[in-house]
Each structure stands twice: as structure tokens, then as C-alpha cells.
Amino acid sequence: MTRPSGFTARSERISSLLDVTPALRLGDVARELRVTVMTLRRDAATGRAGFVCQGGYIVRQRGFGDYDFDRQMRRAIEAKRQAASHAATLVPEGACVFLDTGTTLPHLARALSRARIGRIVTHCLTVAELLHGQAEAEVEFIGGTLQHRTRSCHPPDPAAVLAAFDIDVAFLSAGGLDGGDMLSCSHDYEVAMKRAALAAGRVVWSVMDSSKLGRSRAARFAHLSELSGLVTEHGIRPWNADPEAAPAGRRDDSS
């Protein structure tokens, strides 16, 4: 292809690519456009390119409403990675795993991409994109009504959809865990899928960075006692479990 000669040409080319996929690998785009990764990062940093770089990916720049997925993805990245690393230790070999939408679970998807598990089920576009062509396991993407704010698809009857899978471990995202141990999220439409995963999974964990502890969002979806427990960057906190009997992985230091 002809190399774009400047900022405007590069931005237009990347915008056309983002029209057909929600995320692009930064290194792949740099090679295709015959520029350095640093050039693309500088383009993004201007705020005028129409895209942003997050980790090793390029995604479309979005506005700053009450909930901005891209902005949340850039928050507390190291804490999210550490939480995902702990969560990965909870997945046995050969398991069928459900991954919710959210900004922490894509890190878990990356951690599980080379794990010896049987199947990953998700309705999250970001997770599906990360796993596409990378996962050793079979990946099942659940379609439905597309909700751009969380980059997720929601079928009319999520309980029936998930009941068809033999889910061993389900991981749920949450926007907050208040003082009464109620888990909540930002959008009402997320609740049905979360409740369906809670019913379908043999073991269910919520994964979040610790900045969300003590917070409450608009839509409550479960009490922590309904789950196996909580995973943060500080470790694994089983619900009402003897700390000495915690699952594999680092126990939560606050337990």
C-alpha cells in the first residue's frame, strides 16, 4: 500500500480500519502504515486523531459522558492486570469460562489466552477481539443487541443462552462494591447477563481493582454472598471462607 504522507492521511486510514473492528493492534498498524509505534502514539496524543492508544491497541476516541469505556480502560491499569493475574489462578485446566464485559476482564482474557482451558464464553467485544486468533481454547461469542457504552452484546434471554453452556467458572465485572457488600454496575441492561452468569456458573467470582471498593453504581445486581468471592489486585477474598482454605493464588491481604 502507499504510505500515508502525514498526520491527516494516517488518521483517516486508521478511522476507516476502526469502522470495521473495535480495536487494532498498535504494532500491526505501524507496520501497515510504515511508521513507528511512537509516531502513532504521538498522533493519538494530539487529541485530534480520532483514536487513542491503550496498552498495545488502538481504539476510537470517544466523548466523556457518565461512563466512558476508553477512559475506564486507561484507569488503574497495573491494578487491573494484577487482579486478572490472581483470577487466572482460579481457572482449572480444561474448564469452560465465562468472561463478563468490563475494563478489568480483558486483562484476564489475555492471561487466559494461552491457558489449557476448554472454552471461553463472552458477550464482550473487547474480550472477543483480544482472543481472536490468539486463544488456545475455543471461543464462543454471544450475540444480541449491541451496547456501545460497554462494547457488549445482550440477547433477549441471556439465562437461556448461558444455560446451554457447561460453565465451570464465571467472572463478573462490577463498578462498585458498597459497604453492605452489594455489587453494582453503571447500566441497567447489564444486570440480566450478570444474573444469568451467576445462575449458570458452578463457581462465580467478581473481579475489580480496589478503587471500586466502597462505591455504588446505578444498578445493583448481586450481594457478594451469592458469589464465591472477590478478586482484586490485593488477592483473592473468598466469601465467608476460612482464609487458610482459600483457593490457589495469593489471598487477599485484607482478609
Side-chain angles (χ1 to χ4, degrees):
M1 63 173 289
T2 302
R3 174 180 174 175
S5 58
F7 171 82
T8 300
R10 290 193 298 271
S11 298
E12 290 176 351
R13 175 58 177 159
I14 290 171
S15 178
S16 69
L17 293 172
L18 289 172
D19 284 341
V20 295
T21 186
L24 304 165
R25 291 185 178 84
L26 185 57
D28 291 348
V29 175
R31 282 189 292 274
E32 180 173 347
L33 301 185
R34 302 183 199 173
V35 296
T36 66
V37 166
M38 185 55 68
T39 295
L40 297 181
R41 290 191 183 278
R42 287 174 181 148
D43 287 351
T46 67
R48 297 180 289 106
F51 64 86
V52 295
C53 298
Q54 52 186 47
Y57 286 81
I58 291 173
V59 297
R60 194 177 296 282
Q61 188 175 28
R62 295 178 184 272
F64 292 88
D66 292 338
Y67 183 88
D68 185 278
F69 191 94
D70 295 339
R71 181 172 55 180
Q72 293 299 320
M73 281 290 289
R74 296 192 295 274
R75 280 189 63 260
I77 288 177
E78 189 53 39
K80 295 175 193 290
R81 287 174 179 161
Q82 291 176 10
S85 179
H86 294 310
T89 69
L90 297 167
V91 181
E93 186 171 333
C96 176
V97 180
F98 172 80
L99 295 180
D100 196 5
T101 189
T103 58
T104 300
L105 294 181
H107 296 285
L108 179 54
R110 183 176 284 114
L112 295 178
S113 64
R114 297 300 179 186
R116 294 182 177 179
I117 57 180
R119 175 182 287 180
I120 298 174
V121 180
T122 188
H123 65 308
C124 177
L125 289 169
T126 304
V127 167
E129 174 67 21
L130 283 169
L131 294 174
H132 178 63
Q134 301 297 317
E136 296 289 342
E138 177 182 343
V139 179
E140 188 81 31
F141 181 70
I142 298 171
T145 301
L146 176 62
Q147 298 289 350
H148 73 276
R149 289 181 179 177
T150 50
R151 295 187 189 159
S152 57
C153 289
H154 297 264
D157 188 352
V161 172
L162 291 189
F165 299 101
D166 193 17
I167 297 174
D168 296 298
V169 188
F171 292 101
L172 303 183
S173 64
L177 176 66
D178 66 23
D181 283 332
M182 287 297 301
L183 292 157
S184 57
C185 55
S186 297
H187 307 100
D188 289 338
Y189 63 74
E190 298 179 77
V191 174
M193 182 63 82
K194 293 178 187 293
R195 294 300 305 179
L198 186 57
R202 290 190 177 89
V203 178
V204 183
W205 297 88
S206 182
V207 186
M208 67 179 73
D209 69 85
S210 60
S211 70
K212 296 173 182 175
L213 301 181
R215 295 186 177 186
S216 182
R217 298 300 183 188
R220 292 184 172 186
F221 64 87
H223 190 274
L224 189 59
S225 62
E226 298 179 76
L227 283 70
S228 303
L230 175 69
V231 186
T232 71
E233 71 270 25
H234 300 302
I236 298 165
R237 172 186 160 190
W239 175 259
N240 283 345
D242 179 351
E244 298 304 318
R250 178 183 170 190
R251 292 195 307 273
D252 190 333
D253 295 335
S254 65
S255 296

